[in-house]
Amino acid sequence: MCGISCILSLANAAQRHSNQQPRNGEHKAAIGAERQKLDKELDASLAQIAHRGPDSCGKWIGEDCRVVRYSGISHLPSLTTTLTQGPQWTNVTPALGHVRLSINDLSPSAAQPFHSPTHGIHAVVNGEFYDYDAIRARLETETQYQFTSRSDSEIIIALYLHYGLNFTEHLRGEFACVLWDERREVFVAVRDRYGIKPLFWTVQDDGHGAGGKRLLVAAEMKAFLPLGWEPEWDVRSLKDAGWNHDTRTLFKGVQKIRPGHYMTCQSFGHVEERPYWDTSFPDKRTIDPRTPQELIEGVRERMLEAVRLRLRADVPIGVYLSGGIDSSVIAGMVSHLVKEQNVSVGSASPTDRVTCFSVAFDEDSGFDESSIANRTAEWLGVKYIKKLMNEEELAKRFEDAVWHCEQHNPDLNFVGKFALSEVPQEAGYKVVLTGEGADEVLAGYPVYLPDYLREPDTAYEAHNPLSEAERQKQLELAEEEAREHYRSIGADAGNSAIGVPRLMLNNISTIDGMTAFQPDVFASWTDTSHAACDPHMVIACNPDGITRHYINSKWHPLHSALYVWSKGNLPNIFLTCLGDRTEMAHSIEARTPFLDHQLTEYVNALPPSVKLRWSPDKRRFVEKWVLREASKPFITQELYERKKHPYSAPTRYPRGGPLWRLMGGLLTREKVEGLGFVGWEKVEGLVGEAFGEEGSPKAMRLALVVAAWVVMAERFGVRTARPEGGLLR
């Protein structure tokens, strides 16, 4: 788990086909000076993300100092200073930078970037590849590739040499990586299947005034700041939630590589992105002949394997433990593997107790689950360390948590997760296992229920306890409950007549839940300066046309809902603010067994009615039913019977307290109007409405969002937004 920052100049055909070399010392000196400048830029960029890899830093700028010639064409890009007379030269060799968190192979031989000088391949990796011992052994046999370390990351070069761009299908884990093939002049950037690891990119002027461009790729956007990037609000992305539902971010011109995609740039030219993997589901008309017990055992077997693979490291490994079933079953399976199969937890001995970490809120808040986690830890016989998060502690960490997340969040749960990641760091741990992804794969959220009920599960009719009459009745109740919930939080959602976006997605209503909270605080000029902004349409357009065909003709609506959620909220909120960014802020690598793609491919192929299952005895639906049954040997009866409670932080706080003071200091007229796109008249009373015994949860959410924008504006130096491109500093 590390951080990367890479730079690639973008040239046109005239540059790519020139093989001439500089003819005098003056040109070589200019190139040398530019290389020094690039070296300093890369150092500064890596310093911005040093929290991702505090153990070492490495970089590579092509040693051959490859140069190409261009003459008299003003629009050609250049990475060198302009020479006053004669032909001009540009160094187009890419620069790869890496900060390292040492997990596998702690020796200097595992430091990155990795190279294969014989083949001209160079690579940097952020994340983990699992089952790499087996992959490495196979490659050594089939290719005779000579590895130089025991690091999992090094397999990327050998895989690329053997399989070309098909190397992506052999990667198992959470990762973002960049590879440069200098012989073929191919630049490749890859993001893991679910977007667990972040990877951003942008194109900027090269700074030499000749119209030149360069491609920047990094693990976090803040890494672009020392490279000359000047952040500018993307107001349309803010208004239509594109930052959450497609490849955009909060800032103009900065995009995310999609999960399960790779980006290529061939010969310093055209940049394009292509998928290498995608979530898929079975045809809803195909009968599944398996018994429920077969499916339960299939999930249990694959879960244990996913957990086992993630216990390999050269450092100790802990577990995040909350009061929910997801983290608890992971803790239970780790304990089982240690006790029953003598598996080591990282570098820890099997005789050592498994260590679990948790965060606790005030007991009277209604959001504290630490007592349940404590009972689970006692039942498992594991060591349990928790940190109390009161209002003062949340307020103290808010601004730093926003800086690391690089986006807003209408809940303080991300600050709680930020604080949680301090706990293993303080205990000397670098790696934890975590339960993210279970709800998205196994239908754990209440928002999915109407879409599960929208059509019968004909694929598993023989084993489904839900009758057709009961389905119709429960559908009406579920939709009414959803509408009531949206009304209670003041959200304009739950309207069954939304129109085209829902028709594009076979009328699934989960998109209502995904857009239930939209901050209505924008300045009036944004209504006329931007095209119509419809978050529902953004969600509907995010899947490609082939996928929408499956959604409308082949997939059960529950599976369509799971797909849409997994392409928006999962990578862009839950794996960001509640995942990588708050964990890596404290140099903690989190591993997510529920998002092991071999496990998820099996789960995706299960019938809807074993994910959400009707209990005739209890007269209610059991979410993640197949997981509960598969987990039964590893969790307490209390957890087996407990209903889903989404992880959240308290929403009501008193006036005069730490958060009240923090919000009051951030939401001043000067700071809010300095954003440019927020109307002060819509924000002026938020702090008063949000705090106190009768405080409004909606006002609190709005206050947190605008306060986060203020923090980002100050720390990133974001320009004030103005209509018609009129930007002020």
Side-chain angles (χ1 to χ4, degrees), residues 43-193:
D43 281 342
S45 177
L46 293 172
Q48 288 278 28
I49 55 173
H51 50 274
R52 300 189 68 90
D55 294 331
S56 66
C57 175
K59 55 186 182 292
W60 172 81
I61 303 172
E63 293 300 328
D64 62 352
C65 199
R66 182 185 187 279
V67 290
V68 296
R69 178 181 181 182
Y70 71 92
S71 176
I73 306 177
S74 62
H75 67 272
L76 289 180
S78 171
L79 286 181
T80 63
T81 53
T82 302
L83 303 179
T84 55
Q85 298 292 330
Q88 297 178 352
W89 306 87
T90 179
N91 176 6
V92 294
T93 301
L96 309 181
H98 185 269
V99 288
R100 182 188 181 200
L101 182 65
S102 303
I103 302 295
N104 294 318
D105 188 352
L106 308 184
S107 72
S109 63
Q112 299 189 42
F114 283 114
H115 310 276
S116 176
T118 305
H119 305 93
I121 310 295
H122 313 272
V124 286
V125 178
N126 166 31
E128 293 291 343
F129 301 137
Y130 302 117
D131 206 18
Y132 65 92
D133 283 341
I135 295 173
R136 175 178 174 141
R138 186 178 75 244
L139 290 168
E140 286 177 326
T141 300
E142 295 178 1
T143 70
Q144 286 77 53
Y145 183 86
Q146 298 297 310
F147 288 90
T148 61
S149 75
R150 294 184 296 103
S151 171
D152 59 297
S153 298
E154 194 180 359
I155 64 171
I156 186 177
I157 292 181
L159 285 170
Y160 174 78
L161 288 171
H162 193 46
Y163 296 105
L165 285 177
N166 287 358
F167 78 95
T168 54
E169 67 184 78
H170 300 273
L171 301 177
R172 183 178 187 178
E174 55 266 352
F175 53 85
C177 47
V178 171
L179 183 145
W180 169 246
D181 182 340
E182 64 183 40
R183 291 185 178 178
R184 296 183 58 237
E185 293 187 343
V186 176
F187 181 91
V188 185
V190 185
R191 194 175 180 199
D192 66 62
R193 292 168 178 81

Side-chain angles (χ1 to χ4, degrees), residues 438-634:
D439 292 311
E440 288 77 10
V441 175
L442 286 143
Y445 296 126
V447 70
Y448 300 137
L449 182 57
D451 289 328
Y452 166 67
L453 295 167
R454 205 161 300 286
E455 294 180 9
D457 181 9
T458 56
Y460 217 54
E461 191 172 10
H463 299 286
N464 188 356
L466 183 67
S467 68
E468 178 59 16
E470 191 69 54
R471 182 188 70 81
Q472 300 258 6
K473 176 183 176 181
Q474 292 297 327
L475 175 59
E476 293 179 7
L477 290 173
E479 290 187 325
E480 179 53 40
E481 286 180 8
R483 285 190 289 268
E484 180 57 35
H485 170 70
Y486 296 136
R487 283 194 294 267
S488 71
I489 63 174
D492 183 20
N495 180 4
S496 61
I498 277 186
V500 173
R502 291 234 337 223
L503 290 174
M504 290 173 66
L505 299 175
N506 196 24
N507 198 33
I508 61 171
S509 60
T510 292
I511 64 173
D512 292 354
M514 295 173 69
T515 59
F517 179 77
Q518 289 298 112
D520 183 21
V521 294
F522 295 97
S524 57
W525 68 262
T526 65
D527 295 330
T528 56
S529 295
H530 292 81
C533 293
D534 182 358
H536 288 86
M537 185 60 78
V538 172
I539 295 173
C541 291
N542 194 37
D544 60 35
I546 295 173
T547 301
R548 291 197 301 272
H549 167 71
Y550 293 148
I551 286 173
N552 281 284
S553 63
K554 292 187 176 183
W555 294 350
H556 188 279
L558 173 66
H559 288 156
S560 301
L562 294 176
Y563 182 92
V564 170
W565 187 285
S566 73
K567 299 301 180 181
N569 288 17
L570 177 61
N572 298 327
I573 296 181
F574 295 100
L575 296 177
T576 300
C577 295
L578 301 180
D580 173 87
R581 312 304 286 283
T582 48
E583 293 149 354
M584 289 303 292
H586 302 291
S587 309
I588 296 298
E589 170 184 291
R591 299 179 174 182
T592 53
F594 282 110
L595 295 177
D596 181 277
H597 78 277
Q598 294 192 20
L599 168 65
T600 63
E601 287 173 348
Y602 180 83
V603 172
N604 291 343
L606 301 182
S609 55
V610 301
K611 299 169 188 176
L612 264 169
R613 194 164 182 84
W614 173 249
S615 173
D617 296 336
K618 298 178 181 179
R619 299 291 302 170
R620 72 174 181 88
F621 290 93
V622 179
E623 72 280 353
K624 295 183 289 193
W625 177 83
V626 71
L627 175 63
R628 288 178 187 274
E629 298 303 316
S631 305
K632 202 169 182 179
F634 313 106

Side-chain angles (χ1 to χ4, degrees), residues 225-351:
L225 289 169
L227 305 179
W229 174 56
E230 297 182 352
E232 179 183 333
W233 296 113
D234 187 336
V235 178
R236 180 165 185 177
S237 177
L238 287 162
K239 291 196 71 175
D240 67 13
W243 65 273
N244 186 24
H245 302 307
D246 57 32
T247 63
R248 288 173 288 170
T249 65
L250 302 189
F251 303 116
K252 282 187 179 179
V254 180
Q255 296 193 66
K256 300 159 288 198
I257 293 179
R258 291 181 184 271
H261 281 63
Y262 64 87
M263 182 177 73
T264 60
C265 182
Q266 179 81 42
S267 300
F268 311 96
H270 178 62
V271 176
E272 64 179 2
E273 188 175 306
R274 292 185 177 182
Y276 66 87
W277 182 89
D278 201 4
T279 303
S280 63
F281 300 95
D283 191 313
K284 59 190 175 185
R285 297 160 296 192
T286 301
I287 304 299
D288 192 318
R290 297 171 292 180
T291 66
Q293 189 59 35
E294 287 180 88
L295 304 183
I296 291 167
E297 292 173 358
V299 170
R300 182 182 299 147
E301 175 187 341
R302 287 162 179 80
M303 267 297 300
L304 282 166
E305 174 70 0
V307 171
R308 184 188 64 79
L309 286 175
R310 285 159 178 78
L311 294 179
R312 170 70 187 277
D314 292 332
V315 296
I317 298 175
V319 180
Y320 279 158
L321 181 62
S322 70
I325 187 175
D326 305 336
S327 62
S328 299
V329 68
I330 291 174
M333 286 186 169
V334 171
S335 298
H336 168 80
L337 290 167
V338 170
K339 295 173 184 176
E340 303 299 325
Q341 299 184 22
N342 207 36
V343 173
S344 297
V345 183
S347 63
S349 166
T351 60

